[in-house]
């Protein structure tokens, strides 16, 4: 906390904290959650966003599901927003979009860093007082986390491709936004293999209900979305498609649920790029899976002695499960 | 970085230990070109200015002056330890870190445990404390001993309890060499059984090894090397059994090559704790991930490769072959059949130029053939260390917590009962002060309880994955 204090003192105007950690291990997950709690105690008026790495589904760490549910439940209580990156999804981007043959953690981290950059690099401010947005973290939280029960955010960013492919591609805002919108609706995590069958119900017709008949065609309902556009002619970009009420839950008007940031300045090597930060049902399935696996293991009491020897109790586990089941249910019941 | 202390007990323990230290020096010499004492070396070695008399000689940084192993050598006969002290490795061992006696334990667990235990308890404690004090952050004790003899088995397991009492926070990893069925020590079943109880209760993790498996590995290597199939492409230095380039150029004894394999095991186990990599794994993570229930801490190890071909740019196919080999019986250090038993957990410790995608691809490939327990279907723990072992471009150590150890334990119980029913040789044990017949009964029931736990897990093997109802929440 002393080190953090020193950094805080150097700031003119502290917006908040961005805590980067994983969920599967011990230090990032456990100590990360602990520090977040301490930040909540000591800097209660500052915002906290945790950037969380969701582990690969299969085996990085055997007790990763326990660590994950303990971390998520603690963060849900003390953090303001959770920006989640899934290793499996980033891995697929490296394999399919970036065409990397022997993927290393360095490759994964570069894709991740690119995604973060596409969100947090400067964009034009809304009011005329400063050319650039002064508090992206604050604005992001304000736009995307209207309700404390819904804190899980995911990032989608296109295009993402290897240098070689880039040389032969051209992009239009219309094309990019169309893909991005469909990624949002269908719950796709990358540009390749988007399911175009998923469509919002036509207005005038009764809604399909919370879960449509075919699981595959389930429309990903959002609480709030933020689209960030970077590149030339950005003022010509048409984002009307993202304001369709059918995409959102009923308790927010699209005008409040959707926001857009933009800048003419291109990002990285992409002449035009579009990012989507979304508070939606996108993370329910992974969360549900982790809770399920952790519960299964908990039922057999496996590995519990490893935790109790350091002062934890079974009660702590149960509390975590309860909280997360609640989150799963809340997100699951979102419907237009 | 953390430090570990090796405690080698008895003839077997000390002979393996000697190979280990030799190999460790070679490994660090290959990596550490500049001769600077760094964190990696400090995990197993102290840097000492030998001109300073007494304790003050430790140097924490800078050039390497004289390396001393973080080791305690214990044997109740003098032969083995004396040989070490007269050999080329003599300077690596601190003469104050030895405990020896003259007469030996006579292959009698009770003598090792009760007689020498009480006789040397204070001295042992003192040496252990000393070695712990020399560490900034002591994480683990590696205890090496055989199960069948008297000193290693008796005194070795005695000091486990001492370690548990005095250093409860420090992990206790035991490398235990189990007797083969043709073992020449008649009382080895008694010794092993009595030692098992101690391992059950006081060890955090046990790596059982048996001589038969090691011997089979050697034979296979010899066969391939001597048949000339490899020709000029095999680098003799790369043999996992080889001590070419070793500091010690002893006469080739029959156990040398076998001990080298175990030494390699220990080095690979600690590689990620010593060297950097993209996915580190410390020693506490091994215990955390591989021991789901306190009693079930026996890990079957397998090591690959056993030799390398001269090809430097090994295409992915060879890399994948390494993973396949780790799951074949030929590479196991213990006679067991994990493929047809139930996995509780599995760790893959990879060294060298291997990336996460290679690791994942191979796990996906091998998974379908292996059966994991229902509550741990994805029970894989992985680590990537960028520094390969000497002479190889990459290597893999697989540690499996698998019910396949059950038959070994059952056989042990079988051999024990054959002797015990006739009360053969029992008087040698009972005449030792403090040794009661109840100790035997307790040891058997401890082992039987362990076997029963494995039985219960095995019973779940063919059952469908139970559907545990989730918590339901009110909306």
């Amino acid at each position: 906390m002393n080190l953090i204090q020193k950094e805080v003192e150097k700031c003119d105007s502290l917006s908040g904290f961005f805590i980067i950690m994983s969920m599967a291990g011990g230090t990032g997950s456990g100590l990360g959650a602990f520090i977040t709690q301490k930040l909540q105690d000591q800097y209660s008026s500052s915002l906290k966003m945790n950037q969380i790495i969701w582990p690969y589904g299969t085996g990085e760490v055997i007790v990763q599901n326990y660590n994950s549910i303990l971390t998520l439940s603690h963060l849900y209580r003390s953090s303001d927003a959770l920006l989640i990156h899934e290793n499996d999804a980033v891995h697929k981007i490296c394999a399919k979009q970036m065409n990397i043959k022997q993927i290393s953690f360095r490759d994964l981290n570069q894709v991740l860093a690119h995604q973060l950059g596409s969100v947090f690099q400067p964009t034009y401010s809304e009011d005329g007082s400063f050319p650039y947005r002064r508090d992206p973290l604050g604005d992001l939280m304000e736009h995307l986390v209207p309700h404390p029960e819904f804190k899980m955010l995911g990032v989608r960013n296109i295009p993402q491709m290897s240098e070689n492919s880039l040389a032969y591609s051209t992009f239009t805002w219309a094309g990019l936004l169309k893909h991005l919108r469909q990624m949002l609706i269908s719950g796709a995590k990358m540009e390749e293999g988007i399911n175009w069958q998923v469509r919002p119900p036509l207005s005038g017709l009764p809604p399909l209900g919370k879960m449509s008949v075919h699981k595959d065609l389930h429309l990903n309902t959002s609480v709030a979305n933020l689209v960030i556009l970077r590149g030339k002619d950005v003022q010509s970009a048409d984002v009307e498609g993202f304001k369709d009420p059918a995409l959102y839950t009923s308790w927010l008007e699209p005008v409040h649920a959707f926001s857009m940031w933009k800048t003419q300045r291109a990002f990285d090597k992409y002449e035009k790029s579009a990012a989507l930060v979304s508070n939606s049902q996108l993370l329910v399935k992974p969360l549900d899976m982790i809770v399920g696996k952790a519960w299964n293991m908990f039922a057999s009491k496996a590995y519990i002695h490893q935790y109790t020897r350091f002062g934890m109790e079974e009660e702590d586990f149960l509390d975590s499960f309860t909280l997360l089941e609640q989150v799963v249910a809340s997100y699951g019941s979102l419907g237009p | 970085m953390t430090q570990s202390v090796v405690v080698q007990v008895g003839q077997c323990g000390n002979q393996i230990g000697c190979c280990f230290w030799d190999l460790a020096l070679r490994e660090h010499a290959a990596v550490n070109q500049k001769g600077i004492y760094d964190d990696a070396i400090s995990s197993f070695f102290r840097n000492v200015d030998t001109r300073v008399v007494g304790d003050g000689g430790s140097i924490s940084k800078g050039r390497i002056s004289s390396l001393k192993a973080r080791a305690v050598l214990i044997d109740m006969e003098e032969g083995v330890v004396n040989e070490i002290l007269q050999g080329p490795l003599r300077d690596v061992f601190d003469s104050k870190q030895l405990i020896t006696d003259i007469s030996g334990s006579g292959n009698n667990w009770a003598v090792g445990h009760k007689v020498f235990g009480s006789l040397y308890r204070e001295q042992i404690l003192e040496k252990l404390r000393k070695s712990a004090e020399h560490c900034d952050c002591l994480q683990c004790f590696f205890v090496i001993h055989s199960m069948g003899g008297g000193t290693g088995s008796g005194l070795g397991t005695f000091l486990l309890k001492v370690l548990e009492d005095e250093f409860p926070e420090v992990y206790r990893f035991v490398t235990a060499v189990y007797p083969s069925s043709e073992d020449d020590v008649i009382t080895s079943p008694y010794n092993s059984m009595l030692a098992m109880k101690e391992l059950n209760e006081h060890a955090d993790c046990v790596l059982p090894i048996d001589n038969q498996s090691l011997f089979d590995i050697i034979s296979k290597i010899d066969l391939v090397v001597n048949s000339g199939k490899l020709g000029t492409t095999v680098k003799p230095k790369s043999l996992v059994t080889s001590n070419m380039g070793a500091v010690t150029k002893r006469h080739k004894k029959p156990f040398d090559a076998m001990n080298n394999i175990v030494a390699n095991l220990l080095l690979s186990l600690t590689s990620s704790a010593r060297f950097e990599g993209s996915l580190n794994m410390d020693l506490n993570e091994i215990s955390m991930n591989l021991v789901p229930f306190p009693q079930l801490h026996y890990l079957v190890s397998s090591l690959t490769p056993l030799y390398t071909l001269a090809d430097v740019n090994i295409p992915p196919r060879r890399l994948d072959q390494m993973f396949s080999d780790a799951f074949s019986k030929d590479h196991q250090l213990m006679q067991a059949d994990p493929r047809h038993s139930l996995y509780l957990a599995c760790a893959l410790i990879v060294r060298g130029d291997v990336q996460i995608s290679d690791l994942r691809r191979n796990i996906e490939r091998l998974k379908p053939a292996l059966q994991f327990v229902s509550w741990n279907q994805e029970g894989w723990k992985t680590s990537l260390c960028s520094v390969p072992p000497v002479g190889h471009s990459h290597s893999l150590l697989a540690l499996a917590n698998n019910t396949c150890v059950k038959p070994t334990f059952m056989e042990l119980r079988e051999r024990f009962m054959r002797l015990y029913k006739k009360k053969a040789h029992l008087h040698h044990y009972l005449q030792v002060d403090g040794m009661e017949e109840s100790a035997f009964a307790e040891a058997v029931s401890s082992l039987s309880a362990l076997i029963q736990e494995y039985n219960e897990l095995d019973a779940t093997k063919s059952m469908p994955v139970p559907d545990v109802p989730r918590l339901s929440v009110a909306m």
Side-chain angles (χ1 to χ4, degrees):
Chain A
M1 295 311 284
N2 286 342
L3 287 174
I4 293 176
Q5 174 107 13
K6 283 208 172 68
E7 291 301 317
V8 168
E9 279 161 19
K10 292 182 203 162
C11 298
D12 287 328
S13 169
L14 176 69
S15 156
F17 299 94
F18 192 64
I19 302 134
I20 308 179
M21 53 192 264
S22 73
M23 282 200 317
T27 304
S29 67
L31 191 55
F34 179 78
I35 290 179
T36 309
Q37 178 65 56
K38 283 271 161 282
L39 290 174
Q40 169 84 313
D41 295 338
Q42 195 163 329
Y43 301 95
S44 49
S45 56
S46 297
L47 297 168
K48 286 164 301 300
M49 173 179 281
N50 292 66
Q51 146 75 36
I52 301 178
I53 301 296
W54 201 274
Y56 284 106
T58 313
E60 289 176 35
V61 170
I62 292 178
V63 290
Q64 63 189 47
N65 297 319
Y66 279 167
N67 291 341
S68 298
I69 59 127
L70 290 166
T71 303
L72 280 171
S73 60
H74 278 83
L75 288 180
Y76 232 83
R77 290 180 211 126
S78 55
S79 175
D80 300 309
L82 310 177
L83 187 61
I84 294 170
H85 277 100
E86 298 168 78
N87 269 351
D88 278 310
V90 180
H91 191 106
K92 285 211 185 84
I93 292 175
C94 285
K96 300 268 164 65
Q97 312 263 179
M98 314 290 288
N99 272 319
I100 303 173
K101 292 282 174 269
Q102 211 192 5
I103 300 167
S104 65
F105 276 115
R106 197 184 180 78
D107 298 317
L108 292 177
N109 292 342
Q110 266 190 303
V111 168
L112 254 159
H114 179 91
Q115 289 195 339
L116 287 176
S118 72
V119 173
F120 288 105
Q121 284 292 88
T123 50
Y124 297 140
S125 74
E126 248 93 82
D127 59 22
S129 52
F130 289 93
Y132 286 104
R133 192 171 297 276
R134 280 195 291 165
D135 183 11
L137 189 67
D139 289 344
L140 195 144
M141 304 269 227
E142 196 187 308
H143 293 323
L144 291 174
V145 190
H147 188 300
E149 181 70 2
F150 300 92
K151 283 182 183 165
M152 298 201 298
L153 311 177
V155 182
R156 305 285 175 264
N157 167 276
I158 58 172
Q160 285 249 266
M161 50 181 55
S162 61
E163 297 260 2
N164 302 339
S165 313
L166 199 54
Y168 301 104
S169 314
T170 48
F171 304 103
T172 61
W173 287 118
L176 285 173
L177 288 166
K178 185 170 171 197
H179 278 220
L180 200 60
R181 180 175 182 271
Q182 193 59 24
M183 283 167 75
L184 170 65
I185 297 174
S186 65
K189 303 197 176 170
M190 62 176 185
E191 209 174 348
E192 197 177 298
I194 299 175
N195 184 351
W196 290 93
Q197 300 294 328
V198 182
R199 290 187 194 294
L202 297 168
S203 52
L205 292 175
L208 282 173
K210 295 198 173 85
M211 295 288 275
S212 52
V213 179
H214 302 286
K215 272 251 170 72
D216 287 342
L217 297 179
H218 169 61
L219 181 97
N220 181 41
T221 309
S222 303
V223 171
N225 285 308
L226 166 64
V227 164
I228 306 165
L229 306 176
R230 301 175 186 275
K232 67 181 202 178
D233 302 328
V234 72
Q235 59 278 8
S236 69
D238 174 13
V239 291
E240 285 310 301
F242 283 91
K243 297 183 187 168
D244 184 349
L247 270 50
Y248 295 94
T249 184
S250 56
W251 37 268
L252 267 186
E253 296 286 331
V255 64
H256 295 125
F258 175 73
S259 29
M260 177 180 77
W261 298 352
K262 56 181 186 284
T263 171
Q264 292 262 44
R265 197 189 168 106
F267 178 59
D268 203 0
K269 49 190 193 282
Y270 300 99
E271 177 196 83
K272 296 189 179 76
S273 61
L276 166 70
V277 187
S278 173
N279 186 345
S280 68
Q281 296 176 311
L282 274 175
L283 287 153
V284 175
K285 228 167 49 182
L287 178 60
D288 190 55
M289 271 225 317
I290 283 195
V291 174
K293 287 186 201 167
W295 184 248
N296 224 8
M297 198 181 262
F298 185 68
S300 70
K301 297 282 175 278
Y303 298 101
I304 299 296
H305 74 284
Q306 303 275 15
Y307 290 85
T308 53
R309 70 186 268 200
F310 291 105
M312 279 197 59
E313 298 183 4
E314 289 192 18
E315 276 297 301
D316 298 318
F317 279 87
L318 284 170
D319 287 342
S320 295
F321 281 115
T322 312
L323 191 151
L324 291 177
E325 292 283 12
Q326 186 72 55
V327 173
V328 170
S330 301
Y331 270 102
S333 70
L334 288 176
Chain B
M1 285 248 180
T2 54
Q3 291 86 41
S4 301
V5 171
V6 175
V7 186
Q8 36 196 86
V9 191
Q11 176 176 17
C12 172
N14 277 292
Q15 284 178 330
I16 293 179
C18 199
C19 282
F20 168 77
W21 290 110
D22 187 26
L23 203 55
L25 278 172
R26 264 197 288 160
E27 185 167 90
H28 281 283
V31 173
N32 189 323
Q33 302 288 338
K34 297 193 191 130
I36 304 284
Y37 181 67
D38 59 15
D39 281 339
I41 295 193
S42 105
S43 61
F44 279 118
F45 295 95
R46 290 167 50 211
N47 190 17
V48 175
D49 183 350
T50 44
R51 295 168 300 181
V52 176
V53 175
D55 269 342
S58 287
I59 311 170
S60 53
K61 288 197 244 264
R63 291 204 64 80
I64 293 174
S65 169
S66 173
L67 288 176
K68 292 282 178 214
R70 299 189 192 277
V72 179
L73 286 69
I74 304 176
D75 201 357
M76 297 295 102
E77 287 171 326
E78 293 181 313
V80 180
V81 176
N82 275 345
E83 208 188 315
I84 296 176
L85 292 181
Q86 280 155 22
L89 281 180
R90 61 180 169 274
D91 288 329
V92 173
F93 296 106
D94 187 341
S95 57
K96 296 187 242 85
Q97 291 297 91
L98 314 168
I99 299 178
T100 54
D101 201 297
I102 305 177
S103 48
S105 306
N107 287 326
N108 188 327
W109 185 92
V111 172
H113 197 98
K114 304 278 184 194
V115 175
F116 287 123
S118 50
L119 193 58
Y120 285 104
R121 190 179 196 283
E122 283 314 308
Q123 272 195 57
I124 291 175
L125 204 47
E126 193 210 309
K127 313 283 181 197
L128 290 171
R129 283 217 191 99
K130 251 294 138 61
S131 59
E133 272 161 35
H134 283 135
C135 300
D136 286 328
C137 179
L138 175 61
Q139 188 177 50
C140 183
F141 282 108
F142 282 102
V143 184
I144 316 178
H145 63 76
S146 69
M147 297 288 280
T151 304
S153 168
L155 191 53
T157 51
F158 172 80
L159 69 80
L160 270 186
K161 182 81 173 66
V162 173
L163 289 174
E164 190 178 36
D165 291 337
E166 293 298 319
F167 307 94
E169 307 283 311
V170 180
Y171 287 90
R172 297 171 291 286
F173 273 62
V174 181
T175 306
V177 182
Y178 282 70
S180 50
S181 43
E182 300 98 34
D183 194 71
D184 52 357
V185 176
I186 299 185
T187 50
S188 65
Y190 284 161
N191 297 331
S192 305
M193 177 65 80
L194 292 161
M196 271 298 283
K197 175 167 178 294
E198 306 301 313
L199 291 183
N200 278 344
E201 288 171 19
H202 306 299
D204 285 315
C205 234
V206 179
L207 300 163
I209 317 258
D210 68 60
N211 276 337
Q212 189 59 47
S213 300
L214 295 180
F215 188 72
D216 287 343
I217 291 176
I218 307 298
S219 312
K220 222 169 322 246
I221 296 178
D222 277 346
L223 200 65
V224 178
V225 172
N226 292 332
S227 71
K229 272 199 200 133
L230 297 172
T232 50
T233 54
V234 174
K235 298 195 277 189
K237 213 160 74 132
S238 70
L239 290 176
V240 77
T241 56
S242 153
N243 56 9
M244 268 183 76
V247 176
T248 49
K249 287 239 187 277
R250 301 189 296 262
H251 322 289
K252 269 250 176 194
K253 288 220 211 73
F255 288 104
D256 265 3
M258 289 158 67
N259 292 341
N260 254 305
I261 299 179
V262 183
N264 264 288
L265 162 68
L266 287 172
L267 280 181
S268 285
L269 189 64
T270 55
S271 59
S272 191
R274 290 176 293 133
F275 301 116
E276 36 93 72
S278 60
L279 192 56
N280 292 330
M281 178 161 91
D282 219 343
L283 292 165
N284 51 5
E285 296 177 46
I286 296 178
S287 174
M288 173 65 168
N289 283 280
L290 293 174
V291 184
F293 299 100
Q295 291 267 6
L296 306 179
H297 55 245
Y298 296 87
L299 309 177
V300 179
S301 47
S302 53
L303 206 50
T304 89
L306 301 173
Y307 57 82
T308 334
L309 304 177
D311 255 309
V312 176
N313 282 325
I314 301 195
R317 194 187 158 272
R318 299 260 170 77
L319 182 62
D320 287 11
Q321 186 60 41
M322 181 176 80
F323 282 89
S324 300
D325 284 342
F327 287 88
S328 98
K329 282 209 212 144
D330 294 344
H331 290 251
Q332 277 166 216
L333 276 66
M334 182 182 159
Q335 308 260 295
D337 189 8
R339 264 191 191 255
H340 296 110
S341 310
L342 193 63
Y343 275 88
L344 303 180
C346 188
L348 298 175
I349 301 167
V350 185
R351 301 181 65 174
D353 185 20
V354 182
Q355 301 301 341
I356 185 71
S357 53
D358 301 313
L359 192 51
R360 299 189 60 69
R361 179 181 70 244
N362 279 287
I363 292 179
E364 289 305 310
R365 192 172 59 86
L366 294 164
K367 212 166 53 151
L370 308 170
Q371 287 187 75
F372 274 80
V373 70
S374 67
W375 41 259
N376 208 0
Q377 293 278 294
E378 285 106 13
W380 297 89
K381 166 70 179 157
T382 54
S383 94
L384 294 168
C385 170
S386 36
V387 178
V390 178
H392 297 250
S393 59
H394 38 66
S395 77
L396 170 64
L397 165 66
L399 294 174
N401 190 341
N402 188 306
T403 56
C404 66
V405 292
K406 192 181 67 175
T408 308
F409 296 154
M410 287 172 73
E411 208 199 296
L412 181 64
R413 186 173 57 181
E414 189 70 19
R415 273 190 263 149
F416 171 88
M417 292 313 289
R418 259 181 273 153
L419 277 181
Y420 189 59
K421 279 207 188 91
K422 307 235 178 69
K423 307 273 188 236
H425 301 278
L426 213 52
H427 60 284
H428 291 300
Y429 292 79
L430 298 177
Q431 71 195 20
V432 171
D433 206 17
M435 189 69 185
E436 309 276 337
E437 196 165 338
S438 57
F440 286 86
E442 279 163 26
V444 181
S445 76
S446 168
L447 185 58
S448 296
L450 183 66
I451 293 175
Q452 184 51 24
E453 279 204 54
Y454 282 115
N455 269 332
E456 278 164 24
L457 285 166
D458 267 336
T460 67
K461 212 175 13 167
S462 33
M463 285 172 10
V465 180
D467 209 5
V468 188
R470 296 261 292 267
L471 292 174
S472 54
V473 286
M475 276 304 301

